[in-house]
Amino acid sequence: MLRLLCLLVFTMTLTVSAQAQEAEPTDRSATGGAQTLEDIMKRQEGLKLDDSFRSGVTGSPDNAAPISDQLGTLGGASDPDLWRAYRYNSAAITTQARGPAVDVLIQDGGMRWLLFREGPLLTYGMGSLGVMVVLLVLFYLIRGKIRIDGEKTGQTILRFKSAERFAHWLLAGSFILLGITGIITLAGRKFFIPLFGHEAFATVAVASKWIHNNVAWAFILALVLVFVFWVVHNLPDRTDINWILKGGGILGGGHPPAKKFNAGQKFIFWSVIILGGSIAASGLSLLFPFELPMFAATFDKLNALGLPQLVGLGELNTALAPHEEMQYAQLWHAIVSFVLMVIVIAHIYIGSVGMEGAYDAMGKGEVELQWAREHHSIWTAEVEKAKSEASST
């Protein structure tokens, strides 16, 4: 029985090997050696294609006419040969321009960028926003609004000064505008044009672009102000561990002690600073692709650390043309923006309908004293002590 099994495996191996040897390359005689419909369909589907039949046909000096006769076309290279050499970066190009990838005349990475932009990026990005909204609705239906547990005192305590609230609302308002106009730009071709038509969308798209590019400066300014105002209060400490272990009191059982900002708010703060800073940096790179390229330098540092090789990506290309820089920057800009939008949606929920008294902190600047004692007991005690000492002197 064992011999029979071995014979069967051996026979199947020979059969597969024979079939592989019998497999003939694609017949391109009908196209004169050019790509076939099958080749085109494979490229459109993003399948791997051996295009050496094109990349290698870039002309040869041996085909040129003798030096004593009239010169042949481009010295042995036809116009299509020359364009293929440009296409596959095999042409000998000289230029007076200085900069990264200045000798790249044709770059075809735009198709991969477009497919990812209109496919996974848009699908998973918008899907993540929808999932977060659904989860918050379910949470509200199950948990309800987080109420003030104790009896209200009728007294208020100053939570945020006018300058702090200005910075917060400048950051919030600019980010909302940037998010809306960014989604319009990203999803316009796929969703809005079929709904409203080209002409109507063109007007909206032009306005969105203007708003996005100019409101970005307000976002960057607000990001700096918020960091300066609150970084001291958002440094991690031991109280954060206890707050996290008790789930912030959201699920019941009382609210754990917290300083001016609890662990949840600190997570929001550092998410906004880090992710928002990355969004701002990539946005500046998109506005000034020639002056502020980001990814070539980043890839160079990653290669030096060996991180791409560690995950099997090999050496990342560090000679990027300006349009390649913009393609990478746009994808990174959108991905990080979607992540931050998901986080901010949760923050908006807690700061509005999710928690009683929370909106007053940024809406009025002052909050109910009992709310402050329950949610930020350590900070409230410090403020009351300082006020008591000031009044006694």
Coordinates of all heavy atoms in Angstrom, one line a residue, residues 272-351:
V272 N -5.1 63.9 19.8 CA -5.3 65.1 19.0 C -3.9 65.7 18.7 O -3.7 66.2 17.6 CB -6.2 66.2 19.8 CG1 -6.1 67.5 19.1 CG2 -7.6 65.7 19.9
I273 N -3.0 65.8 19.7 CA -1.7 66.4 19.5 C -0.9 65.6 18.5 O -0.3 66.1 17.5 CB -1.0 66.6 20.8 CG1 -1.7 67.6 21.7 CG2 0.5 67.0 20.6 CD1 -1.8 69.0 21.1
I274 N -0.8 64.3 18.7 CA 0.1 63.4 17.9 C -0.5 63.2 16.5 O 0.1 63.5 15.5 CB 0.3 62.1 18.6 CG1 1.1 62.3 19.9 CG2 1.1 61.1 17.7 CD1 1.3 61.1 20.7
L275 N -1.8 62.8 16.5 CA -2.4 62.5 15.2 C -2.7 63.9 14.4 O -2.5 64.0 13.2 CB -3.7 61.8 15.4 CG -3.6 60.4 16.0 CD1 -5.0 59.7 16.1 CD2 -2.7 59.5 15.2
G276 N -3.1 64.9 15.2 CA -3.4 66.2 14.6 C -2.1 66.8 14.0 O -2.1 67.4 13.0
G277 N -1.0 66.6 14.8 CA 0.3 67.1 14.3 C 0.7 66.4 13.0 O 1.3 67.0 12.1
S278 N 0.5 65.1 13.0 CA 0.8 64.3 11.8 C 0.0 64.7 10.6 O 0.5 64.8 9.4 CB 0.6 62.8 12.0 OG 1.0 62.0 10.9
I279 N -1.3 65.0 10.8 CA -2.2 65.5 9.8 C -1.7 66.8 9.3 O -1.7 67.1 8.1 CB -3.6 65.6 10.3 CG1 -4.2 64.2 10.6 CG2 -4.5 66.3 9.3 CD1 -5.5 64.2 11.4
A280 N -1.3 67.7 10.2 CA -0.8 69.0 9.8 C 0.4 68.9 9.0 O 0.6 69.6 8.0 CB -0.6 69.9 11.1
A281 N 1.3 68.1 9.4 CA 2.6 67.9 8.7 C 2.4 67.4 7.3 O 3.0 67.9 6.3 CB 3.5 66.9 9.4
S282 N 1.5 66.3 7.1 CA 1.3 65.8 5.8 C 0.5 66.8 5.0 O 0.6 66.9 3.7 CB 0.5 64.5 5.9 OG -0.7 64.6 6.7
G283 N -0.4 67.6 5.6 CA -1.1 68.6 4.9 C -0.2 69.7 4.3 O -0.3 70.2 3.2
L284 N 0.8 70.1 5.1 CA 1.8 71.1 4.6 C 2.6 70.5 3.5 O 3.0 71.2 2.5 CB 2.7 71.5 5.8 CG 2.1 72.4 6.9 CD1 3.1 72.5 8.0 CD2 1.7 73.7 6.3
S285 N 2.9 69.2 3.6 CA 3.6 68.5 2.5 C 2.8 68.5 1.2 O 3.3 68.7 0.1 CB 4.0 67.1 2.9 OG 4.7 66.5 1.9
L286 N 1.5 68.4 1.3 CA 0.6 68.4 0.2 C 0.5 69.9 -0.4 O 0.5 70.0 -1.6 CB -0.8 68.0 0.5 CG -1.0 66.5 0.8 CD1 -2.3 66.2 1.4 CD2 -0.8 65.7 -0.6
L287 N 0.5 70.9 0.5 CA 0.5 72.2 0.0 C 1.8 72.7 -0.7 O 1.8 73.4 -1.6 CB 0.2 73.2 1.1 CG -1.3 73.1 1.7 CD1 -1.4 74.0 2.9 CD2 -2.2 73.6 0.6
F288 N 2.9 72.1 -0.2 CA 4.3 72.5 -0.7 C 5.1 71.2 -0.9 O 6.1 70.9 -0.2 CB 5.0 73.4 0.4 CG 4.2 74.6 0.8 CD1 3.5 74.6 2.0 CD2 4.1 75.7 0.0 CE1 2.8 75.7 2.5 CE2 3.3 76.8 0.4 CZ 2.7 76.8 1.6
P289 N 4.7 70.5 -2.0 CA 5.4 69.2 -2.2 C 6.8 69.3 -2.6 O 7.6 68.4 -2.4 CB 4.5 68.6 -3.4 CG 3.9 69.8 -4.0 CD 3.6 70.8 -3.0
F290 N 7.2 70.4 -3.3 CA 8.6 70.6 -3.7 C 9.5 71.1 -2.5 O 10.6 70.7 -2.5 CB 8.7 71.6 -4.8 CG 8.0 71.1 -6.1 CD1 6.7 71.5 -6.4 CD2 8.6 70.3 -7.0 CE1 6.0 71.1 -7.5 CE2 8.0 69.8 -8.1 CZ 6.7 70.2 -8.4
E291 N 8.9 71.8 -1.6 CA 9.7 72.4 -0.5 C 9.7 71.5 0.7 O 10.6 71.5 1.5 CB 9.1 73.8 -0.1 CG 9.3 74.8 -1.2 CD 8.2 74.8 -2.2 OE1 7.2 74.0 -2.1 OE2 8.3 75.5 -3.2
L292 N 8.6 70.7 0.9 CA 8.5 70.0 2.2 C 8.1 68.5 1.9 O 7.1 68.0 2.4 CB 7.4 70.6 3.1 CG 7.6 72.0 3.6 CD1 6.3 72.5 4.3 CD2 8.8 72.1 4.5
P293 N 9.0 67.8 1.2 CA 8.7 66.3 1.0 C 8.9 65.6 2.3 O 9.9 65.9 3.0 CB 9.7 65.9 -0.1 CG 10.8 66.9 0.1 CD 10.2 68.2 0.5
M294 N 8.1 64.6 2.6 CA 8.2 63.9 3.9 C 8.7 62.5 3.8 O 9.5 62.0 4.6 CB 6.8 63.9 4.5 CG 6.3 65.2 5.1 SD 4.6 65.0 5.8 CE 4.9 63.5 6.9
F295 N 8.2 61.8 2.8 CA 8.3 60.3 2.8 C 9.7 59.8 2.4 O 10.1 58.7 2.8 CB 7.2 59.7 2.0 CG 5.9 59.7 2.7 CD1 5.1 60.8 2.6 CD2 5.5 58.7 3.5 CE1 3.9 60.9 3.3 CE2 4.3 58.7 4.2 CZ 3.5 59.8 4.1
A296 N 10.4 60.5 1.5 CA 11.7 60.0 1.1 C 12.6 60.0 2.3 O 13.3 59.0 2.6 CB 12.3 60.9 0.0
A297 N 12.6 61.0 3.1 CA 13.4 61.1 4.3 C 13.0 60.1 5.3 O 13.8 59.4 6.0 CB 13.4 62.5 4.9
T298 N 11.7 59.9 5.4 CA 11.1 58.9 6.4 C 11.5 57.5 6.0 O 11.9 56.7 6.8 CB 9.6 59.0 6.4 OG1 9.2 60.4 6.8 CG2 9.0 58.1 7.5
F299 N 11.4 57.2 4.7 CA 11.7 55.9 4.2 C 13.2 55.6 4.5 O 13.6 54.5 4.8 CB 11.4 55.7 2.8 CG 9.9 55.6 2.5 CD1 9.4 55.8 1.2 CD2 9.0 55.5 3.5 CE1 8.1 55.7 0.9 CE2 7.6 55.4 3.2 CZ 7.2 55.5 1.9
D300 N 14.0 56.6 4.3 CA 15.5 56.5 4.5 C 15.8 56.1 5.9 O 16.6 55.2 6.2 CB 16.2 57.8 4.1 CG 17.7 57.6 4.2 OD1 18.3 56.7 3.5 OD2 18.3 58.4 4.9
K301 N 15.1 56.8 6.9 CA 15.3 56.5 8.3 C 14.8 55.1 8.6 O 15.4 54.3 9.4 CB 14.6 57.5 9.1 CG 15.3 58.9 9.1 CD 14.6 59.9 10.0 CE 15.3 61.2 10.0 NZ 15.5 61.9 8.7
L302 N 13.7 54.7 8.1 CA 13.1 53.4 8.3 C 14.1 52.3 7.8 O 14.3 51.2 8.4 CB 11.7 53.2 7.7 CG 10.6 54.1 8.3 CD1 9.3 53.9 7.5 CD2 10.4 53.6 9.8
N303 N 14.6 52.5 6.6 CA 15.6 51.6 6.0 C 16.8 51.4 6.9 O 17.3 50.3 7.1 CB 16.0 52.0 4.6 CG 14.9 51.8 3.6 OD1 14.0 51.0 3.7 ND2 15.0 52.6 2.5
A304 N 17.3 52.5 7.4 CA 18.4 52.5 8.3 C 18.2 51.7 9.6 O 19.1 51.0 10.1 CB 18.9 53.9 8.7
L305 N 16.9 51.8 10.1 CA 16.6 51.0 11.3 C 16.3 49.5 11.0 O 16.2 48.7 11.9 CB 15.3 51.6 11.9 CG 15.5 53.0 12.5 CD1 14.2 53.6 13.0 CD2 16.5 53.0 13.7
G306 N 16.1 49.2 9.7 CA 15.8 47.9 9.3 C 14.4 47.4 9.5 O 14.1 46.2 9.4
L307 N 13.4 48.4 9.7 CA 12.1 48.0 10.0 C 11.3 47.4 8.8 O 10.6 46.4 8.9 CB 11.3 49.2 10.5 CG 11.8 49.7 11.9 CD1 11.0 50.9 12.3 CD2 11.7 48.6 13.0
P308 N 11.5 48.0 7.6 CA 10.8 47.4 6.4 C 11.3 46.0 6.1 O 10.5 45.1 5.7 CB 11.2 48.4 5.3 CG 11.5 49.7 5.9 CD 12.2 49.3 7.2
Q309 N 12.6 45.8 6.3 CA 13.2 44.5 6.0 C 12.6 43.5 7.0 O 12.5 42.3 6.7 CB 14.7 44.5 6.1 CG 15.3 45.5 5.0 CD 15.5 46.9 5.5 OE1 14.6 47.4 6.2 NE2 16.6 47.5 5.2
L310 N 12.4 44.0 8.2 CA 11.9 43.1 9.3 C 10.5 42.5 9.0 O 10.2 41.4 9.4 CB 11.8 43.8 10.6 CG 11.6 43.0 11.9 CD1 12.8 42.1 12.1 CD2 11.4 44.0 13.1
V311 N 9.7 43.3 8.3 CA 8.4 42.8 7.9 C 8.3 42.3 6.5 O 7.2 42.1 6.0 CB 7.3 43.9 8.2 CG1 7.2 44.2 9.7 CG2 7.6 45.2 7.4
G312 N 9.4 42.1 5.8 CA 9.4 41.6 4.5 C 9.2 42.5 3.4 O 8.9 42.1 2.3
L313 N 9.3 43.8 3.6 CA 9.1 44.8 2.5 C 10.3 45.1 1.8 O 10.3 45.8 0.7 CB 8.5 46.1 3.1 CG 7.1 46.0 3.7 CD1 6.7 47.3 4.3 CD2 6.1 45.5 2.7
G314 N 11.5 44.7 2.3 CA 12.7 45.1 1.6 C 13.1 46.5 1.8 O 12.5 47.2 2.7
E315 N 14.0 47.0 1.0 CA 14.4 48.4 1.1 C 13.3 49.3 0.4 O 12.9 49.0 -0.7 CB 15.7 48.6 0.3 CG 16.9 48.0 1.0 CD 17.5 49.0 2.0 OE1 17.2 50.2 2.0 OE2 18.2 48.5 2.9
L316 N 12.8 50.3 1.1 CA 11.8 51.2 0.6 C 12.5 52.2 -0.3 O 13.7 52.6 -0.1 CB 11.1 52.0 1.7 CG 10.3 51.1 2.7 CD1 9.7 52.0 3.8 CD2 9.2 50.4 2.0
N317 N 11.8 52.6 -1.4 CA 12.4 53.5 -2.4 C 12.5 54.9 -1.8 O 11.6 55.4 -1.2 CB 11.5 53.5 -3.6 CG 12.0 54.5 -4.7 OD1 13.2 54.7 -4.7 ND2 11.2 55.0 -5.5
T318 N 13.7 55.5 -1.8 CA 13.9 56.8 -1.3 C 14.1 57.9 -2.3 O 14.3 59.0 -2.0 CB 15.2 56.8 -0.4 OG1 16.3 56.3 -1.1 CG2 14.9 55.8 0.8
A319 N 14.0 57.5 -3.6 CA 14.1 58.5 -4.7 C 12.7 58.7 -5.2 O 12.3 58.1 -6.2 CB 15.1 58.0 -5.8
L320 N 12.0 59.6 -4.6 CA 10.6 59.8 -4.9 C 10.4 61.1 -5.6 O 10.9 62.1 -5.2 CB 9.7 59.8 -3.6 CG 9.8 58.5 -2.7 CD1 9.0 58.7 -1.5 CD2 9.3 57.3 -3.5
A321 N 9.7 61.0 -6.7 CA 9.3 62.2 -7.5 C 8.3 63.0 -6.6 O 7.6 62.5 -5.8 CB 8.7 61.9 -8.8
P322 N 8.1 64.3 -6.9 CA 7.2 65.1 -6.1 C 5.8 64.6 -6.1 O 5.0 64.6 -5.1 CB 7.2 66.5 -6.8 CG 8.6 66.5 -7.4 CD 8.9 65.1 -7.8
H323 N 5.3 64.0 -7.3 CA 3.9 63.5 -7.3 C 3.8 62.2 -6.5 O 2.8 61.9 -6.0 CB 3.5 63.3 -8.8 CG 4.5 62.8 -9.7 ND1 5.6 63.5 -10.0 CD2 4.6 61.7 -10.5 CE1 6.4 62.9 -10.9 NE2 5.8 61.7 -11.2
E324 N 4.9 61.4 -6.4 CA 4.9 60.2 -5.5 C 4.8 60.7 -4.1 O 4.1 60.1 -3.3 CB 6.1 59.4 -5.8 CG 6.2 58.7 -7.1 CD 7.5 57.9 -7.3 OE1 8.5 58.5 -7.5 OE2 7.4 56.7 -7.2
E325 N 5.6 61.7 -3.7 CA 5.5 62.3 -2.4 C 4.0 62.7 -2.1 O 3.5 62.4 -1.0 CB 6.4 63.5 -2.3 CG 7.9 63.2 -2.1 CD 8.3 62.8 -0.7 OE1 7.4 62.8 0.2 OE2 9.5 62.5 -0.5
M326 N 3.4 63.3 -3.0 CA 2.0 63.8 -2.8 C 1.0 62.6 -2.7 O 0.1 62.6 -1.9 CB 1.6 64.7 -3.9 CG 2.3 66.0 -4.0 SD 1.6 67.1 -5.2 CE 0.1 67.6 -4.5
Q327 N 1.3 61.5 -3.4 CA 0.4 60.3 -3.3 C 0.5 59.7 -1.9 O -0.5 59.4 -1.3 CB 0.8 59.3 -4.4 CG 0.4 59.8 -5.8 CD 1.1 59.0 -6.9 OE1 1.8 58.0 -6.6 NE2 0.9 59.4 -8.1
Y328 N 1.7 59.5 -1.5 CA 1.9 59.0 -0.1 C 1.4 59.9 0.9 O 0.7 59.5 1.9 CB 3.4 58.7 0.2 CG 4.0 57.5 -0.5 CD1 5.0 57.6 -1.4 CD2 3.5 56.2 -0.2 CE1 5.5 56.4 -2.0 CE2 4.0 55.1 -0.7 CZ 5.0 55.2 -1.7 OH 5.5 54.1 -2.3
A329 N 1.6 61.2 0.8 CA 1.2 62.2 1.8 C -0.4 62.2 1.8 O -1.0 62.3 2.9 CB 1.7 63.6 1.4
Q330 N -1.0 62.1 0.7 CA -2.5 62.2 0.6 C -3.1 61.0 1.3 O -4.0 61.1 2.1 CB -3.0 62.3 -0.8 CG -4.5 62.5 -0.9 CD -5.3 61.3 -0.8 OE1 -4.9 60.2 -1.3 NE2 -6.5 61.4 -0.3
L331 N -2.5 59.8 1.1 CA -3.0 58.6 1.7 C -2.8 58.6 3.2 O -3.7 58.3 4.0 CB -2.3 57.3 1.1 CG -2.6 57.0 -0.3 CD1 -1.9 55.8 -0.8 CD2 -4.1 56.9 -0.6
W332 N -1.6 59.0 3.7 CA -1.4 59.1 5.1 C -2.3 60.2 5.7 O -2.8 60.0 6.8 CB 0.1 59.5 5.3 CG 0.5 59.6 6.7 CD1 0.6 60.7 7.5 CD2 0.8 58.5 7.6 NE1 1.0 60.4 8.8 CE2 1.1 59.1 8.9 CE3 0.8 57.1 7.5 CZ2 1.4 58.3 10.0 CZ3 1.2 56.3 8.6 CH2 1.5 56.9 9.8
H333 N -2.4 61.3 5.1 CA -3.2 62.4 5.5 C -4.7 61.9 5.8 O -5.3 62.2 6.8 CB -3.2 63.5 4.5 CG -3.9 64.8 4.9 ND1 -3.2 65.7 5.8 CD2 -5.1 65.4 4.6 CE1 -4.0 66.7 6.0 NE2 -5.1 66.6 5.3
A334 N -5.2 61.2 4.8 CA -6.6 60.7 4.9 C -6.7 59.6 6.0 O -7.7 59.6 6.8 CB -7.1 60.2 3.6
I335 N -5.8 58.6 6.0 CA -5.9 57.5 7.0 C -5.8 58.1 8.4 O -6.7 57.7 9.3 CB -4.7 56.5 6.8 CG1 -4.9 55.8 5.4 CG2 -4.6 55.5 7.9 CD1 -3.7 55.0 5.0
V336 N -4.9 58.9 8.7 CA -4.7 59.4 10.1 C -6.0 60.3 10.4 O -6.4 60.3 11.6 CB -3.4 60.2 10.2 CG1 -3.3 60.8 11.6 CG2 -2.2 59.3 10.0
S337 N -6.5 61.0 9.5 CA -7.7 61.9 9.7 C -8.9 61.0 10.1 O -9.6 61.4 11.0 CB -8.0 62.7 8.4 OG -6.9 63.6 8.2
F338 N -9.1 59.9 9.4 CA -10.2 59.0 9.7 C -10.0 58.5 11.1 O -11.0 58.4 11.9 CB -10.2 57.9 8.7 CG -11.0 58.2 7.5 CD1 -10.5 58.0 6.2 CD2 -12.4 58.6 7.6 CE1 -11.2 58.3 5.1 CE2 -13.1 58.9 6.4 CZ -12.5 58.7 5.2
V339 N -8.8 58.1 11.5 CA -8.6 57.6 12.9 C -8.9 58.7 13.9 O -9.6 58.4 14.9 CB -7.1 57.1 13.1 CG1 -6.8 56.8 14.5 CG2 -6.8 56.0 12.1
L340 N -8.5 59.9 13.7 CA -8.8 61.0 14.6 C -10.3 61.3 14.6 O -10.8 61.6 15.7 CB -7.9 62.2 14.3 CG -8.0 63.4 15.3 CD1 -7.7 62.9 16.7 CD2 -7.1 64.5 14.8
M341 N -10.9 61.3 13.5 CA -12.4 61.5 13.4 C -13.1 60.5 14.3 O -14.1 60.9 15.0 CB -12.9 61.6 12.0 CG -12.6 62.8 11.2 SD -13.4 63.0 9.7 CE -12.4 62.0 8.6
V342 N -12.7 59.3 14.2 CA -13.4 58.3 15.0 C -13.3 58.6 16.5 O -14.2 58.5 17.3 CB -12.8 56.9 14.7 CG1 -13.3 55.8 15.8 CG2 -13.2 56.4 13.3
I343 N -12.1 59.0 16.9 CA -11.8 59.3 18.3 C -12.6 60.6 18.7 O -13.2 60.6 19.8 CB -10.3 59.5 18.6 CG1 -9.6 58.2 18.3 CG2 -10.0 60.1 20.0 CD1 -8.0 58.4 18.4
V344 N -12.6 61.6 17.9 CA -13.3 62.8 18.2 C -14.8 62.7 18.3 O -15.5 63.3 19.1 CB -12.9 63.9 17.1 CG1 -13.8 65.1 17.2 CG2 -11.5 64.3 17.3
I345 N -15.4 61.8 17.4 CA -16.8 61.5 17.5 C -17.2 61.0 18.9 O -18.2 61.4 19.5 CB -17.2 60.5 16.5 CG1 -17.2 61.1 15.1 CG2 -18.6 59.9 16.7 CD1 -17.5 60.2 13.9
A346 N -16.3 60.1 19.5 CA -16.6 59.6 20.8 C -16.4 60.7 21.8 O -17.2 60.8 22.8 CB -15.6 58.5 21.2
H347 N -15.5 61.6 21.6 CA -15.3 62.8 22.5 C -16.5 63.7 22.5 O -16.9 64.2 23.5 CB -14.0 63.5 22.1 CG -13.7 64.8 22.8 ND1 -13.6 64.8 24.2 CD2 -13.7 66.1 22.4 CE1 -13.4 66.1 24.5 NE2 -13.4 66.9 23.5
I348 N -17.0 64.0 21.3 CA -18.2 64.8 21.1 C -19.4 64.2 21.9 O -20.1 65.0 22.6 CB -18.5 65.0 19.7 CG1 -17.4 65.9 19.0 CG2 -19.8 65.7 19.5 CD1 -17.5 66.0 17.5
Y349 N -19.5 62.9 21.8 CA -20.6 62.3 22.5 C -20.6 62.5 24.0 O -21.5 62.9 24.6 CB -20.6 60.8 22.1 CG -21.5 60.0 23.0 CD1 -22.9 59.9 22.8 CD2 -21.0 59.2 24.1 CE1 -23.7 59.2 23.7 CE2 -21.8 58.5 25.0 CZ -23.2 58.5 24.8 OH -24.0 57.8 25.6
I350 N -19.4 62.2 24.6 CA -19.2 62.3 26.0 C -19.4 63.8 26.5 O -20.0 64.0 27.5 CB -17.8 61.8 26.5 CG1 -17.8 60.2 26.3 CG2 -17.6 62.1 27.9 CD1 -18.7 59.5 27.2
G351 N -18.9 64.7 25.6 CA -19.0 66.1 26.0 C -20.3 66.8 25.8 O -20.5 68.0 26.0

